Amino acid sequence: MKIPFVSFLPMEKELNNSLRDAFDRVFRRSWYIEGAEDEAFEKAFAEYCNVNYCVGAGNGLDALMLTLKALNVGAGDEVIVPSNTYIATALAVTYIGAAPVFVEPDIRTFNINPNLIEAAITEKTKAIIPVHLYGQACDMDPIVKIAKKNNLYIVEDCAQAHGATYKGKKIGSFGDAAGFSFYPGKNLGALGDAGAVVTNNKVLEEKIRALGNYGSDFKYHHIYKGNNSRLDELQAAFLAAKLPYLEKMNVERRRIAGMYTEGITNPKITVPYVIPDCVPVWHIYGIRCAQRDALEKHLNQKGIGTNKHYPIPIHLQECYKDLNIPKGALPIAEEISSTELSIPMYYGMTDKEIRYVIDAINEF
Ligand SMILES: *Cc1c(COP(=O)(O)O)cnc(C)c1O
């Protein structure tokens, strides 16, 4: 049997008509940037996240970077980021000239360990970026408490967790603002690059909107040296067409994850742990295994696609040599990098396919 790591085909088949309608509507209107589609999606997505405002952006990296910029974080400042995340989280910080300070995760959940945050705070610290990695919410109560006590901003990185909840509340509403990515492979994906910021702060919303639109508050009037990072009409229309299906697709991911967690009984494998307060949306289902590379080879030979999130931790990436963080300094992130394996997870996987993956893992 051939099971890819990810396939959009079942979802695209189901949404075929609504995506084509979305294209037709935009094409008929012949208006492509800053229009009714963007406005409608922003409204719908803010409602979905239970926040007051949403600002479309070109991608998830820009959403985070523009938010930090709007909060006046920059050169000389430090921002706390998890040592285990996609590199975009750190790039958003270094782009605006600030320094990332890495905090290790809880190896069971892969998410930032709140108990280690306070030790990383200095007088230069301006913000914390909790990343709700692989679709599971961070333990937000202690993070919010630490941020309040130390007068720090919280910018949530929600790129992998559209719709995940913590204590019954959707992620994206716990901090000052939150960045989302709509990269095609994310739980809510565009048909290209797209992103957004959500916030309850009107002043911040207006500043982020201006910063992503050449720093302009109205046409040809520029109050900031801004960027060009907007959500275009076509992607907004596609996202609006897909948003009503997001809950259903997340429920399906939870069903697949449930089958994996129950079915994988091989003692060589550790399945992900979910904290009691979190309802995850399983962007990624990551197992851990000491013989990870052999397991990957075994699964690939059986036709099962896999991936690693992420094979090289950020502090050991070539581009961050200047941070001078030696190998061994962040052992939990390094341990995850060498043991984590992501197995197929996408809307439309059949029971037969899920069981085939489980059997192949158990026979390793
Ligand atoms: C995908 C991702 C981003 C960046 O999103 P893009 O839309 O690709 O720029 C940021 N943070 C995390 C954790 C991500 O997974």
Side-chain angles (χ1 to χ4, degrees):
M1 204 186 294
K2 262 223 145 4
I3 305 171
F5 172 67
V6 68
S7 168
F8 302 146
L9 292 178
M11 178 263 294
E12 285 170 352
K13 211 170 145 195
E14 198 171 321
L15 274 70
N16 183 42
N17 288 337
S18 40
L19 291 173
R20 283 173 192 282
D21 286 349
F23 171 81
D24 287 342
R25 199 172 60 238
V26 174
F27 195 55
R28 239 182 287 121
R29 201 185 279 132
S30 193
W31 184 271
Y32 301 105
I33 306 276
E34 288 197 289
E37 299 292 340
D38 185 23
E39 207 172 294
F41 174 71
E42 286 178 350
K43 189 164 173 284
F45 195 65
E47 250 163 52
Y48 177 80
C49 295
N50 287 315
V51 296
N52 292 339
Y53 310 104
C54 170
V55 186
N59 54 65
L61 171 59
D62 284 354
L64 293 170
M65 187 262 285
L66 293 171
T67 302
L68 292 171
K69 214 166 148 179
L71 291 167
N72 293 321
V73 180
D77 297 331
E78 291 177 355
V79 178
I80 290 174
V81 299
S83 56
N84 180 52
T85 177
Y86 182 52
I87 195 163
T89 316
L91 285 174
V93 174
T94 49
Y95 253 174
I96 49 132
V101 175
F102 296 107
V103 169
E104 290 267 77
D106 176 336
I107 196 157
R108 299 170 312 156
T109 64
F110 302 104
N111 273 332
I112 193 165
N113 184 343
N115 298 327
L116 304 176
I117 293 176
E118 283 208 282
I121 295 172
T122 71
E123 63 279 20
K124 292 182 181 164
T125 312
K126 284 280 159 61
I128 306 173
I129 308 184
V131 182
H132 308 295
L133 206 65
Y134 309 159
Q136 172 165 202
C138 296
D139 192 4
M140 289 310 295
D141 275 355
I143 296 174
V144 169
K145 218 165 149 188
I146 292 164
K148 279 217 175 93
K149 186 177 147 200
N150 294 279
N151 206 16
L152 305 176
Y153 296 120
I154 293 179
V155 178
E156 291 172 79
D157 182 339
C158 300
Q160 301 192 359
H162 317 67
T165 62
Y166 175 79
K167 298 199 170 169
K169 194 173 147 187
K170 287 230 176 75
I171 53 121
S173 53
F174 287 89
D176 297 278
F180 281 87
S181 164
F182 305 120
Y183 176 81
K186 302 290 162 90
N187 288 43
L188 178 62
L191 308 187
D193 274 317
V197 179
V198 299
T199 180
N200 282 316
N201 181 331
K202 175 88 181 132
V203 176
L204 200 54
E205 183 255 342
E206 284 173 357
K207 189 164 178 193
I208 292 166
R209 191 177 295 283
L211 282 170
N213 190 24
Y214 296 101
S216 168
D217 53 351
F218 57 90
K219 207 166 175 69
Y220 302 131
H221 185 260
H222 302 271
I223 45 180
Y224 312 110
K225 296 184 193 84
N227 292 64
N228 174 13
S229 184
R230 302 173 294 210
L231 177 60
D232 66 70
E233 289 287 282
L234 206 45
Q235 296 305 339
F238 291 142
L239 287 166
K242 287 178 82 175
L243 182 59
Y245 295 85
L246 177 58
E247 275 315 296
K248 181 184 171 187
M249 293 191 286
N250 281 344
V251 166
E252 182 61 13
R253 284 172 180 271
R254 277 200 286 277
R255 193 183 71 84
I256 299 165
M259 281 180 73
Y260 279 155
T261 300
E262 197 178 300
I264 297 171
T265 52
N266 187 333
K268 294 195 210 77
I269 311 291
T270 308
V271 295
Y273 171 76
V274 177
I275 56 173
D277 293 323
C278 172
V279 179
V281 293
W282 299 106
H283 174 58
I284 282 163
Y285 191 93
I287 57 177
R288 290 199 311 110
C289 176
Q291 302 102 285
R292 188 264 314 269
D293 294 346
L295 172 64
E296 177 169 52
K297 206 168 151 208
H298 166 76
L299 296 180
N300 294 168
Q301 272 165 357
K302 294 197 142 273
I304 299 167
T306 54
N307 221 322
K308 296 170 195 144
H309 297 94
Y310 295 90
I312 305 169
I314 297 170
H315 66 284
L316 300 179
Q317 292 285 354
E318 176 101 21
C319 65
Y320 280 126
K321 271 204 293 227
D322 59 336
L323 295 175
N324 281 316
I325 305 175
K327 199 169 155 77
L330 296 164
I332 303 174
E334 292 172 25
E335 172 82 11
I336 290 170
S337 287
S338 60
T339 58
E340 191 273 350
L341 189 68
S342 307
I343 58 178
M345 169 60 73
Y346 53 90
Y347 178 75
M349 270 186 93
T350 65
D351 282 13
K352 208 171 140 200
E353 288 167 334
I354 300 163
R355 281 201 205 95
Y356 181 81
V357 175
I358 292 170
D359 290 344
I361 291 170
N362 285 339
E363 86 197 16
F364 173 70

